[in-house]
Amino acid sequence: MNTKVKVASYRIKRYWIYLVATSVALITPFIQIGGNQIFLLSFDKKQLHLMGVAFDMQELYMMPFLLMFMFLGIFAVTAIGGRAWCGWSCPQTIFRVIYRDLIEGKLLGLRRIKNKQKEPNLKEPKNIAKRVVGILLWSLLALLAAADFMWYFIPPADFFAYLQNPMDHTILLGFIVGVAAFLVYDVVFLQENFCVYVCPYSRVQSVLYDDDTIQAIYNTNRGGNIYNENKEKIIFKQKDLPNETDECTACQSCVTVCPTHIDIRKGAQLECINCLECVDACTTVMGNLGKESLVQWSSTNEVIKGNKTKLIRGKTIMYGIALLLIIGMLFVMGGKKEYMLLNINKTTQLYKIKDNNEVINNFLLLFQNTQRENYTYTIEVIGKYADKFEIKKFTDFKLSHNKMVKKVIQLSTKERLVNDFTKDTPITVTLKAYAKENPDVVFVIRKAVFIYPRADKLEPLK
């Protein structure tokens, strides 16, 4: 007598992961640290908020490292666990499960969760009505998803304030409606074709896989070959299996439950999103026969070749080193965060010579207060030329939060810095601008190029 083999359902585990991922996506925009968002890319305020630190557009040198971390992280996950992102965390997959399994399946009874191949019969009027209700329900959720998406670009507080005067923010409304409309089309009509034909991830996964990549794999050693070497199906019923020891029942459960409409017994395919529905289906069928599933979440080395899966190998080590280097660079760059912004540009006039060989250069300074407090700013020359230059036409000024101001200053010197009769000489001068209320934190140091005239333009030395 066969004993049922009981194995935990991956579907239930995925649902919990979906719930966590959805909760994180909805809650994250509302989390603030020190008055700044935990993550925000604001085109309106020209800022990037990351873990409570606000970086202005002039400081977006961190973005390339964030993008590299994201892509390399996805590549590393793919090399280890296949398209685990697609099946377990991707918004596209979560949205499809909500609409197909929850709304159409559980709430409206239009389809069975275990048969994702069969579309609802829309020739019946009651099914048409249910389909319309399903689309309306999903449209409401799509509007929420679109709003949540916008919260990563517009802080929720500003977002809801803007909605109080919607006609003054028609572009925002247009984005929300446009994103929601795309989600309705994508989830209701495009369906998993997005994963198969639109998403570029499926096209690059094949170069990231190897024999140790963990994925859904059909065990041909136990189940038998359902497809030949040309990927043509040769077995349609269990009686057609050539060997008596072949265990596949040809029940098609792993096929009908697949959201991307593939047959996992054909081998690795780019359409597979690693949702493991086929593993659950085969586990149920084979468990009733007292046997282990023929489709397993494992590696080719372990299932087909009988070798142990190597999680730590050359490829994963290299990914790990690259990710650690990027994290290190992010910390280094984050440590260079400046709490005020200052751009220094020289005016078109090279220099001006006054009495007593006084040489003056004009500079245009653009200050911006990036802090929430109001500060009084000043500027001085530091470094080896500190005692040789004087700043003229500049007085301390107060600047409120997120405000910008332009100032023209003069750098003046009466010292004979260079005695070159052949050419003008550029001299690098170091300037320090700081807030008088908090000079140890709110400051920046900039270099300015002072042009000193050639000696024949000056009065002779006495």
Side-chain angles (χ1 to χ4, degrees):
M1 183 176 179
N2 289 326
T3 303
K4 291 185 178 181
V5 177
K6 188 176 181 180
V7 180
S9 170
Y10 285 114
R11 180 185 297 144
I12 301 302
K13 294 177 182 177
R14 281 203 333 277
Y15 287 169
W16 281 108
I17 296 295
Y18 295 163
L19 181 61
V20 171
T22 303
S23 301
V24 169
L26 289 171
I27 294 172
T28 297
F30 293 90
I31 300 176
Q32 292 186 340
I33 301 176
N36 295 320
Q37 305 297 127
I38 192 171
F39 180 83
L40 173 73
L41 182 59
S42 174
F43 295 102
D44 181 25
K45 298 180 180 179
K46 298 180 175 63
Q47 287 183 333
L48 166 68
H49 291 198
L50 188 62
M51 301 305 292
V53 179
F55 295 90
D56 288 87
M57 286 300 176
Q58 293 91 330
E59 301 174 290
L60 290 192
Y61 42 72
M62 297 182 67
M63 283 300 292
F65 295 98
L66 289 173
L67 292 173
M68 284 191 290
F69 182 82
M70 180 181 71
F71 282 108
L72 280 177
I74 291 176
F75 291 167
V77 169
T78 305
I80 296 173
R83 291 178 69 178
W85 160 260
C86 296
W88 292 71
S89 299
C90 178
Q92 165 75 13
T93 303
I94 296 175
F95 292 158
R96 277 294 292 161
V97 168
I98 292 174
Y99 177 73
R100 182 193 61 228
D101 294 355
L102 178 59
I103 296 178
E104 286 195 335
K106 289 290 185 180
L107 296 181
L108 302 177
L110 279 174
R111 63 166 79 232
R112 294 175 61 243
I113 294 177
K114 293 183 179 181
N115 190 346
K116 296 178 174 59
Q117 308 284 327
K118 187 177 181 180
E119 292 294 325
N121 181 11
L122 297 180
K123 292 182 179 180
E124 297 183 16
K126 65 175 183 178
N127 286 349
I128 296 177
K130 289 181 178 180
R131 183 69 178 272
V132 172
V133 171
I135 293 175
L136 290 176
L137 289 174
W138 171 245
S139 297
L140 294 175
L141 293 177
L143 284 171
L144 174 61
D148 181 47
F149 174 73
M150 296 305 299
W151 292 339
Y152 287 90
F153 301 93
I154 302 172
D158 294 346
F159 178 89
F160 292 115
Y162 294 160
L163 289 186
Q164 293 177 7
N165 300 291
M167 298 315 298
D168 294 336
H169 303 281
T170 53
I171 295 178
L172 173 61
L173 289 177
F175 269 108
I176 295 173
V177 173
V179 172
F182 170 76
L183 290 179
V184 171
Y185 169 74
D186 172 36
V187 172
V188 177
F189 301 102
L190 191 58
Q191 303 177 3
E192 278 75 23
N193 288 325
F194 180 91
C195 306
V196 177
Y197 300 109
V198 180
C199 180
Y201 185 31
S202 64
R203 306 297 164 179
V204 301
Q205 65 167 333
S206 58
V207 299
L208 302 174
Y209 280 20
D210 57 32
D211 286 346
D212 287 300
T213 299
I214 299 175
Q215 55 188 308
I217 296 178
Y218 169 70
N219 191 336
T220 55
N221 295 333
R222 288 179 49 214
N225 291 309
I226 308 300
Y227 289 80
N228 61 20
E229 295 179 354
N230 297 322
K231 302 299 181 181
E232 297 172 339
K233 192 172 183 178
I234 55 176
I235 304 298
F236 294 90
K237 296 182 179 180
Q238 185 178 17
K239 63 182 180 62
D240 297 328
L241 289 166
N243 301 317
E244 293 182 358
T245 56
D246 292 339
E247 300 178 18
C248 181
T249 62
C251 65
Q252 300 290 322
S253 294
C254 61
V255 178
T256 57
V257 80
C258 178
T260 57
H261 298 195
I262 66 170
D263 188 342
I264 194 63
R265 299 171 299 176
K266 194 175 183 178
Q269 297 156 75
L270 62 84
E271 295 90 346
C272 179
I273 60 172
N274 237 6
C275 66
L276 308 185
E277 288 278 13
C278 53
V279 178
D280 282 342
C282 191
T283 297
T284 300
V285 173
M286 299 306 292
N288 290 331
L289 300 176
K291 300 177 181 178
E292 290 187 359
S293 175
L294 295 174
V295 185
Q296 299 177 8
W297 191 39
S298 188
S299 68
T300 301
N301 263 341
E302 191 159 334
V303 174
I304 306 300
K305 300 180 180 180
N307 301 322
K308 188 176 180 180
T309 302
K310 295 180 181 179
L311 295 179
I312 300 176
R313 52 193 189 274
K315 182 183 291 187
T316 57
I317 290 173
M318 293 304 296
Y319 279 129
I321 293 173
L323 289 172
L324 288 175
L325 287 174
I326 292 173
I327 292 173
M329 291 301 297
L330 281 172
F331 275 104
V332 170
M333 293 297 181
K336 294 181 179 180
K337 160 70 180 167
E338 295 181 336
Y339 294 91
M340 62 173 287
L341 297 180
L342 173 61
N343 290 331
I344 299 179
N345 296 294
K346 200 172 185 317
T347 60
T348 54
Q349 185 182 38
L350 285 181
Y351 49 77
K352 184 187 297 183
I353 302 173
K354 291 193 172 183
D355 297 337
N356 300 321
N357 285 340
E358 181 183 6
V359 180
I360 295 175
N361 280 201
N362 294 323
F363 294 89
L364 177 64
L365 276 60
L366 179 63
F367 287 85
Q368 182 177 0
N369 179 6
T370 60
Q371 303 307 296
R372 296 185 177 275
E373 300 84 5
N374 298 336
Y375 284 120
T376 302
Y377 292 98
T378 188
I379 191 168
E380 63 183 32
V381 180
I382 62 174
K384 67 176 183 177
Y385 292 110
D387 58 343
K388 299 183 183 298
F389 284 93
E390 180 184 356
I391 296 177
K392 293 185 175 183
K393 290 191 175 182
F394 179 85
T395 55
D396 300 349
F397 63 95
K398 198 156 192 173
L399 198 58
S400 56
H401 163 63
N402 212 33
K403 294 296 183 181
M404 301 174 67
V405 67
K406 291 182 180 179
K407 296 286 184 178
V408 176
I409 69 168
Q410 291 183 341
L411 274 184
S412 169
T413 182
K414 294 181 180 179
E415 302 277 347
R416 181 59 71 97
L417 299 177
V418 181
N419 195 33
D420 190 333
F421 285 86
T422 62
K423 64 181 185 303
D424 297 334
T425 304
I427 297 173
T428 302
V429 181
T430 304
L431 299 175
K432 178 182 179 181
Y434 57 91
K436 299 179 74 172
E437 293 84 353
N438 194 2
D440 295 331
V441 175
V442 184
F443 72 90
V444 294
I445 295 174
R446 296 287 186 266
K447 302 291 185 181
V449 178
F450 185 94
I451 304 298
Y452 196 83
R454 63 178 189 263
D456 63 334
K457 293 188 177 182
L458 302 171
E459 296 178 5
L461 290 171
K462 296 180 180 179

